[in-house]
Amino acid sequence: MSIVDAFLIGMSALAFVYFVLLNSLNLLFTAIASITMATRVRARPYAGEEDAFASPITPGVSVLVPAFNEEVGIVESVRSLLALRYPRHEVVVVNDGSTDATMERLHEEFDLVPVARVLRNGIAYAPVRGTFLSRRVPILCVIDKENGGRADALNAGVDAASHPYVCAVDADTLLDKDALLQVVKPILDDPELVVATGGSIRVVNGSRVDHGFVVEQRLPRNRLATFQTLEYLRAFLVGRVGWSSLNALPLISGAFGVFQRSLVEAVGGFSTKTVTEDLELVLRLHRYLRTHGQPYRIAFVSDPVCWTEVPESLHSLSLQRRRWQRGLGESLWRHRRMIGNPHYGAIGLLSLPFLLFFEFFGAIIELGGLVATAAAFVLGLLSVWFVLLFFAFAFLLAIVLSVAASTLEQFGLRRLPEARDVGRLLAYTLFENFGYRQLVTVWRTIGYVDLARREKSWGAQERRGFKLTSGSEA
Amino acid sequence: MNAGTDAPLILAADDDEIILGLVVYRLEHSGYRVITAHDGEEAVRRARAERPALAVIDVMMPKLDGYEVTRLLRAHEETKDIPVILLTARVQEADVDRGFEAGADDYLRKPFSPQELRSRVQALLGRS
Amino acid sequence: MAALLLGIVVLGFAGTIGLLVITAERVLIGRREEQSAIRRLTPAALAVVFEDGTEFPVLSRPDALVFAALLGEFSAQVQGASHDRITQYFEAQGHVRAAIAELSSRRPWRRAVAAYALGDMGSPASVGPLVAALDDERRDVRSAAARSLGQLGKPEAVEPLVRALSSGQIPRGVVCRSVLLLGEQAVPRLLPLLTHAEPEVRAVSAELIGLLGGAREAQQLLARLRDTSAAVRGRAAIALGRLGASDAYSGLDGTLRDRAPAVRAAAAEALGLIGNAAAFAPLREVARTDLFEPARAAAYALGRLAPDLLEAAASEPGAGRFLREAADTAALRARAPA
């Protein structure tokens, strides 16, 4: 047997093991998520967010909105954040040196007046050009600063926030009315223990939006967006729930997370050196808190929903996935000491190795494995049974997982979906693994190249904004 | 018991269907005609278009909150004399002041007594 | 052999997929039916709430569940005669009895659902069993029982709920909300907790007393201004501010020089609430020279205390940025359009 043959077989075997492990783990998470979901749905009658709303002891939250060139959707987004059902919150918009009409829109809509708001200077960030309050809305504050990136803008927000908790939200995301109440609930119930919580993200493309709130949840028309819907379902409904139950939640998505303000300041704020600053911050929080020996919990709440617009073009999507891969690599490298380190508990022993092997190296293993298996089969090195078995574990099981996630979603939804959307989503689970997933893997692999080349840019985002339409597209 | 066409018209505004249902029922069965709104903007629009004799407005509503709606009603000629009762879940003193500052005439906390609401409505309508 | 294995695997997966799809379908249909039932039953439910002497409707079991849920939702929103009528319905239909019995169910979620529902049903007969449920082995059940006791508002719930504050067995948020609902009657039981061994318990009870109590409680809160824990000192200060106790002035003035910045901030806020004009000078000093938290709180407190003097204070040389911010903000609010 030649070296090439051995290599091909080895690669194929590795990929097989990889798929079996990955999908089995996901199966485990799905089981955990189902149980959690069942409890959750039963608990819903007695979860009682409305009670929290009336309480004077509910802690204040500063909602931070970093905005760069968001003229299309910034007003809608801010309006919806101002209208959130929460007894005590403020909205801090940080204009990160936009070159478009973002500030103008804000000025017009909210009648901004310059007020020299004092900043703590507890974290460093790019210079602030001005701070503004709104004549119309008492709880809005706008910080205009020079460009420094999303993390930098968030840091300015953290520095300026007046409440003990901060909620980092993307400018292009919409929150459900009760989302803040729900995501803060674990903190309210256990204020000494819970230091951060994360909410669930769903794809907004295709849904009908009115004045910044989703009024009708529909599947996107765009095929890429529909595939991403499935991905987000699996990630949030299944993945996060599973990790959270182990108290090893490695990631609170930057699109929607609540953190204790003083803690963020204590660890130095968000890192501007990585492109996925949310992941990196959570890792740093885990590290800091475990080093200090403080008992703590970072919770994931699967109910509250944050809606985000996902890329609909191949180009945008590829840039996004390359960026994620790059950011993952950067964050893992930065905290490499935590990987496999029992000193960091479940995070060190479970989530980080998982992220490293399955998320980071996964791309090359999957791609290499597929190519190797195909080549080995053609060369007659592998039996047809093995290939079919490989096929079953790599693809069929993945389909099962996607279908399971979609079904779980049905259980958990408060809204009633269209029957044809349910059918369509299920059909897409079939196609997801034949083409889409491989495409994403290719992009992730290119992400390695970016990482090696130390790419720094974000790439331009196409925005379509959220306007009320009579049709079904956002 | 359906009110005759010369019965006073009341605007009830709340985004919570349950509360709206309770308020509408209580008022309709007390001899009033009731129109409804589900958010602040609709409330202002309907108030201007139909000139109700009184408005019962929830403080927490989408688009415009109850305080804003009250302020807007007070700011315009056609609606400035409409008595306003605010409904709220909040418990703090500051909110009571805020309500009166905005121009509300009365203030009812949730959970509310529908009988109490009726009495307040009768009192305010009796006055004007 | 491999073929058999493969066959089993594929069939297993295909079967699972089928099962899941069917489940999703079922759930969808079930929820649609529920929604239409709600629409159908709402008028009757409203009639029960408002009409005297309404005959309680006879319903099929699934409808009866929806009906009860509807009334439960109404119950949470109303008080007075309407609320009593809803309670009568639940008592007459035997729902209260059934729910109390469910509190001993072997399934935890049934206990929790029952404990929660009893709060909405509003029957005083459930207070005793709910108090017992506060010691349930499951956190969910304890939470639901605590929440319901708050809704029922009976004095027998005060002692056990306040005890739950110190035991930590029930989420803090839930217990606090319920104690707040119980109101003034809880205050005598909260006072002893001000000297509890754990600082968090002292802090929480100080906060609750501030929200529920009156001037009589001021003395005991004043003593907490010298507590060893900063959290307690801070909450006691805010509580004194909320009570508006004017004789707390000298104590709070001293707390303006506390070693913890957050406590100084709390004292500043409290002085703004109390309204004693003598606080003007010390607050101005803090606003000019102290760290971020206390200085900011003092500046805004000054605005509350003496809004007319704020601008002048902010314009003085060396006034600092906090006074300027507070003055500008106040000016902005004063000119807010209608």
Side-chain angles (χ1 to χ4, degrees):
Chain A
M1 188 188 289
S2 73
I3 296 198
V4 173
D5 289 352
F7 173 74
L8 286 176
I9 293 179
M11 195 69 216
S12 181
L14 174 63
F16 182 67
V17 168
Y18 166 90
F19 278 118
V20 170
L21 272 178
L22 176 64
N23 290 331
S24 306
L25 267 169
N26 280 325
L27 212 60
L28 177 66
F29 282 152
T30 306
I32 295 178
S34 315
I35 297 171
T36 312
M37 174 68 80
T39 323
R40 206 173 190 89
V41 169
R42 280 184 190 147
R44 201 171 279 156
Y46 56 86
E49 290 93 40
E50 310 69 45
D51 307 344
F53 186 68
S55 168
I57 56 171
T58 306
V61 174
S62 296
V63 180
L64 311 178
V65 191
F68 178 72
N69 286 356
E70 299 284 353
E71 66 182 6
V72 179
I74 189 70
V75 166
E76 286 278 275
S77 174
V78 172
R79 266 178 162 209
S80 78
L81 293 172
L82 291 169
L84 286 171
R85 289 167 67 89
Y86 198 78
R88 204 174 352 170
H89 78 297
E90 66 171 350
V91 176
V92 181
V93 180
V94 184
N95 177 43
D96 195 35
S98 296
T99 54
D100 69 355
T102 304
M103 277 306 288
E104 283 81 353
R105 293 283 158 86
L106 288 169
H107 268 285
E108 265 166 40
E109 177 68 25
F110 299 108
D111 196 2
L112 297 180
V113 168
V115 170
R117 179 142 163 170
V118 184
L119 304 168
R120 289 176 180 79
N121 292 321
I123 312 176
Y125 41 86
V128 169
R129 300 193 283 232
T131 56
F132 302 84
L133 294 183
S134 160
R135 225 197 290 268
R136 290 205 196 121
V137 180
I139 58 173
L140 176 65
C141 170
V142 178
I143 299 177
D144 185 23
K145 65 183 270 292
E146 285 170 24
N147 181 262
R150 184 173 177 272
D152 195 77
L154 279 173
N155 286 338
V158 171
D159 206 45
S162 20
H163 288 308
Y165 289 91
V166 292
C167 175
V169 168
D170 271 346
D172 63 342
T173 54
L174 307 176
L175 297 182
D176 269 355
K177 200 76 136 353
D178 283 335
L180 205 55
L181 266 178
Q182 290 168 313
V183 83
V184 164
K185 190 157 193 300
I187 293 176
L188 186 62
D189 285 342
D190 234 328
E192 292 100 61
L193 196 64
V194 181
V195 297
T197 62
S200 185
I201 304 183
R202 294 275 193 284
V203 169
V204 78
N205 306 44
S207 297
R208 206 157 61 84
V209 174
D210 185 11
H211 281 82
F213 287 111
V214 173
V215 291
E216 197 189 333
Q217 180 182 1
R218 298 299 311 274
L219 269 191
R221 288 234 177 109
N222 178 277
R223 264 171 290 189
L224 280 182
T226 311
F227 284 130
Q228 289 172 77
T229 306
L230 277 171
E231 281 183 306
Y232 278 68
L233 274 183
R234 279 202 315 274
F236 285 94
L237 219 46
V238 178
R240 306 279 162 108
V241 174
W243 287 120
S244 177
S245 66
L246 297 168
N247 199 15
L249 190 65
L251 173 64
I252 289 179
S253 175
F256 188 34
V258 173
F259 303 89
Q260 197 178 72
R261 198 210 72 82
S262 52
L263 190 59
V264 175
E265 192 179 282
V267 302
F270 291 86
S271 165
T272 47
K273 296 204 178 54
T274 163
V275 112
T276 48
E277 61 277 332
D278 34 21
L279 167 63
E280 202 281 329
L281 177 71
V282 176
L283 289 180
R284 200 156 11 106
L285 283 176
H286 276 292
R287 195 167 176 172
Y288 177 90
L289 291 163
R290 281 187 196 261
T291 308
H292 279 67
Q294 224 174 294
Y296 72 98
R297 206 160 85 77
I298 294 185
F300 172 71
V301 190
S302 58
D303 255 354
V305 179
C306 161
W307 301 86
T308 191
E309 193 182 354
V310 296
E312 289 189 345
S313 76
L314 286 170
H315 179 65
S316 282
L317 183 56
S318 72
L319 286 177
Q320 187 196 61
R321 295 312 161 98
R322 282 163 62 179
R323 191 174 72 237
W324 287 1
Q325 187 75 358
R326 214 162 81 220
L328 179 62
E330 285 166 354
S331 302
L332 285 173
W333 178 251
R334 216 147 177 241
H335 296 283
R336 59 193 182 278
R337 220 172 313 167
M338 286 170 75
I339 306 177
N341 188 337
H343 181 63
Y344 294 104
I347 284 278
L349 291 173
L350 295 173
S351 8
L352 284 177
F354 179 91
L355 281 179
L356 183 68
F357 184 61
F358 291 107
E359 294 279 339
F360 187 67
F361 286 123
I364 196 73
I365 296 174
E366 273 184 48
L367 200 59
L370 282 175
V371 170
T373 307
F377 180 63
V378 163
L379 291 176
L381 297 167
L382 295 169
S383 80
V384 72
W385 301 117
F386 175 80
V387 172
L388 285 175
L389 210 57
F390 182 94
F391 178 85
F393 274 99
F395 294 95
L396 273 186
L397 188 46
I399 295 176
V400 171
L401 289 167
S402 292
V403 173
S406 309
T407 309
L408 262 182
E409 164 90 333
Q410 293 315 309
F411 272 112
L413 277 181
R414 287 178 194 244
R415 304 161 212 262
L416 224 46
E418 292 281 316
R420 73 190 121 130
D421 274 356
V422 176
R424 186 153 168 258
L425 197 62
L426 287 172
Y428 267 71
T429 60
L430 201 61
F431 300 121
E432 191 198 357
N433 283 285
F434 295 97
Y436 176 75
R437 195 199 172 117
Q438 287 69 32
L439 197 54
V440 173
T441 309
V442 167
W443 289 327
R444 282 164 69 193
T445 313
I446 302 180
Y448 293 133
V449 176
D450 290 339
L451 193 59
R453 286 173 53 209
R454 297 170 182 270
E455 244 329 298
K456 284 292 171 207
S457 73
W458 260 63
Q461 298 276 50
E462 292 143 22
R463 287 268 175 276
R464 296 207 281 137
F466 302 108
K467 289 190 272 293
L468 170 64
T469 57
S470 52
S472 55
E473 298 192 37
Chain B
M1 185 211 308
N2 277 319
T5 44
D6 51 352
L9 181 66
I10 300 186
L11 169 66
D14 198 325
D15 63 327
D16 186 324
E17 286 296 337
I18 304 261
I19 298 177
L20 200 59
L22 290 165
V23 170
V24 168
Y25 191 102
R26 178 70 282 157
L27 293 175
E28 276 183 347
H29 285 65
S30 308
Y32 300 103
R33 286 176 299 141
V34 184
I35 52 174
T36 59
H38 293 84
D39 61 65
E41 274 183 12
E42 195 186 349
V44 173
R45 197 173 57 241
R46 295 205 79 178
R48 288 199 191 145
E50 298 176 65
R51 318 279 186 89
L54 182 141
V56 178
I57 304 176
D58 186 44
V59 159
M60 259 326 240
M61 279 194 297
K63 298 185 194 171
L64 289 175
D65 67 25
Y67 304 120
E68 268 305 300
V69 172
T70 312
R71 251 190 289 269
L72 282 171
L73 292 181
R74 290 284 167 266
H76 287 84
E77 196 52 45
E78 325 91 69
T79 52
K80 71 175 167 54
D81 294 319
I82 300 178
V84 170
I85 299 179
L86 288 177
L87 278 181
T88 177
R90 298 213 213 162
V91 171
Q92 287 160 295
E93 277 307 309
D95 299 309
V96 182
D97 293 334
R98 210 174 148 199
F100 289 126
E101 263 170 47
D105 296 84
D106 208 344
Y107 197 94
L108 213 57
R109 292 198 179 125
K110 294 192 272 192
F112 69 105
S113 161
Q115 287 68 28
E116 186 64 36
L117 175 65
R118 179 178 50 188
S119 316
R120 309 268 185 111
V121 166
Q122 283 166 346
L124 280 171
L125 286 180
R127 268 201 270 146
S128 58
Chain C
M1 193 57 228
L4 189 61
L5 178 62
L6 187 65
I8 294 174
V9 165
V10 171
L11 254 141
F13 290 165
T16 317
I17 293 176
L19 210 70
L20 291 169
V21 170
I22 292 173
T23 316
E25 185 84 29
R26 290 266 219 83
V27 170
L28 210 70
I29 293 175
R31 293 181 52 219
R32 276 191 206 287
E33 281 175 357
E34 194 185 329
Q35 281 223 346
S36 80
I38 289 177
R39 265 193 299 270
R40 202 174 10 102
L41 294 168
T42 299
L46 284 169
V48 166
V49 175
F50 290 112
E51 311 289 315
D52 269 321
T54 313
E55 286 269 328
F56 294 147
V58 177
L59 298 166
S60 66
R61 176 137 176 86
D63 271 0
L65 287 174
V66 173
F67 199 74
L70 260 179
L71 281 178
E73 291 207 48
F74 288 157
S75 161
Q77 302 298 341
V78 297
Q79 50 164 314
S82 310
H83 191 270
D84 295 339
R85 234 189 301 278
I86 296 178
T87 304
Q88 274 166 33
Y89 173 84
F90 283 122
E91 282 173 343
Q93 296 291 304
H95 289 181
V96 175
R97 211 175 335 120
I100 291 178
E102 281 278 278
L103 285 178
S104 324
S105 164
R106 278 212 320 247
R107 305 254 189 96
W109 70 270
R110 289 188 109 99
R111 298 200 299 271
V113 170
Y116 189 87
L118 281 170
D120 286 332
M121 291 192 218
S123 167
S126 44
V127 176
L130 280 172
V131 168
L134 286 179
D135 294 316
D136 192 284
E137 57 178 16
R138 291 296 210 101
R139 200 170 193 242
D140 273 355
V141 182
R142 299 196 294 264
S143 281
R147 177 249 179 208
S148 289
L149 283 170
Q151 282 199 290
L152 292 170
K154 297 290 180 217
E156 302 92 310
V158 174
E159 173 88 49
L161 277 177
V162 168
R163 233 183 303 125
L165 274 179
S166 46
S167 74
Q169 288 305 309
I170 304 178
R172 183 64 57 71
V174 176
V175 182
C176 283
R177 292 197 290 274
S178 289
V179 171
L180 285 174
L181 283 173
L182 288 174
E184 253 190 319
Q185 57 185 330
V187 175
R189 288 269 174 254
L190 285 170
L191 286 170
L193 288 187
L194 283 177
T195 43
H196 192 272
E198 287 190 42
E200 259 314 309
V201 176
R202 299 198 296 274
V204 163
S205 53
E207 184 165 22
L208 290 169
I209 292 172
L211 290 165
L212 296 172
R216 300 175 307 277
E217 280 70 52
Q219 280 308 311
Q220 306 211 31
L221 284 172
L222 272 170
R224 289 303 103 218
L225 289 180
R226 292 184 298 277
D227 194 287
T228 48
S229 154
V232 180
R233 297 199 299 276
R235 308 264 191 105
I238 305 263
L240 284 165
R242 284 197 173 119
L243 293 182
S246 45
D247 47 341
Y249 174 74
S250 48
L252 286 171
D253 188 46
T255 310
L256 273 184
R257 289 179 280 282
D258 193 286
R259 60 181 183 276
V263 178
R264 297 200 293 275
E269 190 181 331
L271 285 168
L273 289 170
I274 288 181
N276 188 330
F280 188 88
L283 281 176
R284 186 180 54 189
E285 194 50 36
V286 173
R288 288 166 68 124
T289 57
D290 209 330
L291 298 175
F292 187 91
E293 302 268 2
R296 188 163 201 271
Y300 279 96
L302 218 56
R304 258 199 118 108
L305 192 66
D308 312 321
L309 302 174
L310 184 58
E311 178 57 44
S315 310
E316 287 169 7
R321 303 168 299 155
F322 297 97
L323 283 170
R324 186 74 262 154
E325 180 190 329
D328 287 348
T329 309
L332 182 67
R333 299 293 158 236
R335 279 186 276 121

